[in-house]
Amino acid sequence: MMCAVCSATVERKLASLDGVNEAVVSLPSRTAMVDYDPDIISPEQMKAELTAIGYDMVIEADRSAEAIEQRHLVLLRRKVLFSWGFALLTMCISMGWLNVGSRDVANQTMLIIALANLVYCGRQFYVTAWQQARHLSAGMDTLVALSTCVSFLFSAFNTFWGDQVWGSRGIEWHTYFDASVMIISFVLTGRLLEEKAKHGTASAIRTLMGLAPKTARVVNFDGTIDEVPVSTLSKGDVIEVHAGQKIPVDGIVRDANKNNATQVGTGRAMSEDKEQQTPKLPSIDESMISGEPVPVEKHDGDRVYAGTIVKEGTLRFKAEAVGEQTVLANIIRMVQQSQNSKAPVQRTVDRVALIFVPAVMCISVLTFLVWSLVGGSSALPRAVLSAVSVLVIACPCAMGLATPTALMVGIGKAAQRNILIKDAAALELIHRVNALVIDKTGTLTVLEETKKGDEKQVSEESQLAGEVLKPHAREAVTLLHEAGVEVYMMSGDMEERARYWAEQTGIRHYQSRVMPQDKEDLVRRLQAEGRVVAMAGDGINDTQALAAADVSIAMGQGTDVAMDVAQMTLMGTDLRRIPEAIHLSRRTVGMIHQNLFWAFIYNVICIPLAAGLPCIFGLDFQITPIWASALMAFSSVSVVLNSLRLKFGDD
């Protein structure tokens, strides 16, 4: 897929197939999320239907999508080099820098070069355009195919019959082989730069995928250890991981003291320091999951997660979740789904894209007719060039890439900050939130008995409520207030406890002795007042309110039900992630608006210039096909590069 029209066409085709309930296609990641009935249709049948209209579908079980993308990049790079070689050679001949003989010989030489360029470098444009035309659709490839074919055929006609048709009437004629070659060169160059830039927008997924190791050390029944591929691990396998290594799958720690007693005791048996003789527990860096930078010591029975790193000691654990069942795999899947999901503004852009190319083709035909009628036969060359310029300069790619590239970068950056976004609509909307309903226990506070061995327990808090405030909770509430978000705390506790915790966090609005229905009622009451409401919770009793809220936020250590309902999940306990998400949403939406504005303005300004509109006002200025192709390529690349500013911006 090369433009928004392509992705919209593929999405519409998939959605129209019997057995497909829903299909969402992402242009930047070139992926499709399809909900289908396997009893009615198979992926192979979908692939056949897409092939018939000029597209291909990679079934992951059969081929590696990453390998295909790499091969595509190699071929694209090769075609770009060849095309620019053809373009420079054609330019040298047309400008007279390279003398190949008479004018006829020069034109015939350029015809051969241009034909070679069309057949080898531009072949895919014509194949795709033809297949789309057979199914009454059109895309960016259609515009490129039409413009290059028209300029090539018009030049070929002039090469053999120019003197007889135009020269005999006293009309000066030219060939435009250089234009047909340069158009393909610029378009291919733009696509190569796009591919490289889009590769950067998907870096979050590749980073997450690279967290899990490829091999694991399995402990056999006889105590021997074999290193095997992670893909061969099964539930129940005992795995050993040394300090500095990554944990391959999720599991439960076993023999934590035994595994490290030998290491700690070696050479220290005679030490008088009893504390040093005590075996040291293995510690793990779980910042990838929890967001906490301090390594966590692990006891027997504690859980460990794929992708986390053993910092000290040797760890042995029993595999509990492997393959697609690990927490890391679920995180990757959630990020992929969110990057493929569409924000409301993108659906509007997709509808515009479907009519954009036919509209441009109509403008091109109208441009040709107006120049021909006004200028007569002597204006025919200019009429052809103007029509070709209109076809080339129009760029649905920029509009199609404006929203999804910004969303992909924003969602990826959120994942790096331990904010998992399930639905792109949440990222687009959360910056408008002005009311946050938040559950107390498990979200703002944590019960004392779950804080094992914490020597920093406050005296008054535990005596009053048997719980402690989460780190940074008060700071998070302050940041939310500064962002214009009013916080409403809901608690099932008695009035005294609810008031105490509201005062501790600086929350002005709170309610005690609430039931699940009360939380939903508050969300709906605030919405009725015109507020945009977010709900943050962690338990089953929060799911009603989470489902009713405009933006739903679950805590990563909460229940699976809450995380399933929520559009956004905060990994770890740091509530400052909520104001961070609001800030990131504001920057992402701002970037989307910038991209759409410039993509729209580009087409509004450039299409009339290419058509020759300034000539009506007496200005002898017009964009030629060569410059049109350069501007079109630049517009697409600029949108992607602008989106990448999110990736390298402030945190």
Side-chain angles (χ1 to χ4, degrees), residues 218-219 221 233-239 249-252 254 317-322:
V218 176
V219 181
F221 291 110
L233 294 178
S234 303
K235 183 177 180 180
D237 286 342
V238 177
I239 300 165
V249 294
D250 295 357
I252 303 295
R254 55 185 292 178
F317 67 95
K318 183 179 179 181
E320 288 290 319
V322 299

Side-chain angles (χ1 to χ4, degrees), residues 51 53 216 246 248 275 332 379 404 440 521 580 621:
T51 302
I53 62 170
K246 294 179 180 178
E275 185 177 351
I332 292 172
K440 179 181 75 68
D521 291 343
E580 280 183 17
F621 172 79

Side-chain angles (χ1 to χ4, degrees), residues 506-519:
I507 294 175
R508 295 185 285 265
H509 308 281
Y510 70 92
Q511 191 172 335
S512 61
R513 294 184 175 181
V514 299
M515 300 296 288
Q517 186 61 48
D518 297 322
K519 298 178 182 180

